Amino acid sequence: MFLRLAAICLALSAPAAFADCVGYDSFVKGVEVKLEDGSKWIARRSAHEVIRIDKTNHDGAYAQYAIGPYGVFVTEGTRNGIGTTTEMVYSKTPPQPFVGMDWTSTVKDTSTSEATHSTYPTKRGKVHVTANNLREVKLNGCSYKVMGVDIAYGADLGGMVQHFAYFPDIRFGLQTKVTYKDGSSDSAGITGLRVVK
């Protein structure tokens, strides 16, 4: 009788232990992502797998936002610190990232200064997207599958490479590193992932 009662109690308490693990539906309410640099991102999903992420710097100041499919293919966003809004239009519909992905699209990039409301010359070029290295990580006590996704921008678009951590089971990705044309880079890995309270 005692063993049966203990098993029932364990079964009832088990979901509570995993209640804070992020699932696909968690993005309706919002998901908080913490990075090594102390920044915090809040991610929310809308229709057609479009995710909006808003960044707060380590000091608590709002920094920027980005919107796009799966959190990877940015179609609108701001550039941190320079007051510019960018819109990117892909010639092909971006697919959900998958291991072994090797995808190319032409992109039209239009940027507008928030200070002067003037539009910079439109850029056009190609992006090449690859994905690999599926592995399992543990964040906030929960296990997730994650893989690397790289978006390489052609020279006409600045020649940088964005590196994303993409979680296929929850269809969400976030940039963790950017490598610039001159070889310099900025990076901050993900240290926390939880449902917004």
Side-chain angles (χ1 to χ4, degrees), residues 19-20 29-30 32 194-197:
D20 287 338
K29 184 174 183 181
E32 179 186 272
R194 69 177 184 87
V195 181
V196 171
K197 299 290 186 191

Side-chain angles (χ1 to χ4, degrees), residues 38 79 82 85:
R79 295 183 189 169
I82 61 173
T85 301

Side-chain angles (χ1 to χ4, degrees), residues 35-37 41 149-151 153 160-165 174-180 183-190:
L35 271 64
E36 288 173 326
D37 62 3
W41 296 80
V149 176
D150 288 343
I151 301 182
Y153 291 82
M160 70 177 177
V161 179
Q162 290 178 297
H163 309 274
F164 291 82
L174 186 72
Q175 179 183 299
T176 55
K177 182 178 179 182
V178 59
T179 303
Y180 301 101
S184 64
S185 64
D186 293 315
S187 63
I190 296 173

Side-chain angles (χ1 to χ4, degrees), residues 30-175:
V31 172
E32 179 186 272
V33 188
K34 291 185 179 179
L35 271 64
E36 288 173 326
D37 62 3
S39 65
K40 180 172 65 175
W41 296 80
I42 301 296
R44 290 185 173 83
R45 179 181 279 113
S46 59
H48 310 293
E49 300 297 340
V50 172
I51 292 179
R52 177 184 173 118
I53 50 178
D54 290 273
K55 177 184 179 184
T56 303
N57 285 332
H58 69 280
D59 60 2
Y62 182 81
Q64 67 185 100
Y65 76 91
I67 300 171
Y70 309 104
V72 174
F73 303 96
V74 177
T75 54
E76 179 184 331
T78 52
R79 295 183 189 169
N80 194 12
I82 61 173
T84 300
T85 301
T86 298
E87 291 184 9
M88 297 183 76
V89 178
Y90 290 82
S91 62
K92 298 190 283 188
T93 302
Q96 179 180 346
F98 58 91
V99 173
M101 180 179 187
D102 189 347
W103 182 79
T104 303
S105 177
T106 300
V107 172
K108 181 174 84 170
D109 178 329
T110 305
S111 298
T112 305
S113 166
E114 293 179 14
T116 65
H117 302 288
S118 59
T119 301
Y120 298 103
T122 296
K123 301 176 188 174
R124 286 181 175 79
K126 291 196 180 289
V127 294
H128 182 215
V129 184
T130 55
N132 54 44
N133 193 25
L134 184 67
R135 62 197 185 283
E136 191 168 293
V137 297
K138 190 165 275 195
L139 296 164
N140 296 94
C142 301
S143 294
Y144 301 97
K145 290 179 183 173
V146 65
M147 64 183 180
V149 176
D150 288 343
I151 301 182
Y153 291 82
D156 293 341
L157 295 172
M160 70 177 177
V161 179
Q162 290 178 297
H163 309 274
F164 291 82
Y166 182 73
F167 300 81
D169 292 339
I170 56 177
R171 295 185 217 161
F172 166 72
L174 186 72
Q175 179 183 299

Side-chain angles (χ1 to χ4, degrees), residues 9-19:
C9 288
L10 183 61
L12 292 174
S13 65
F18 297 102

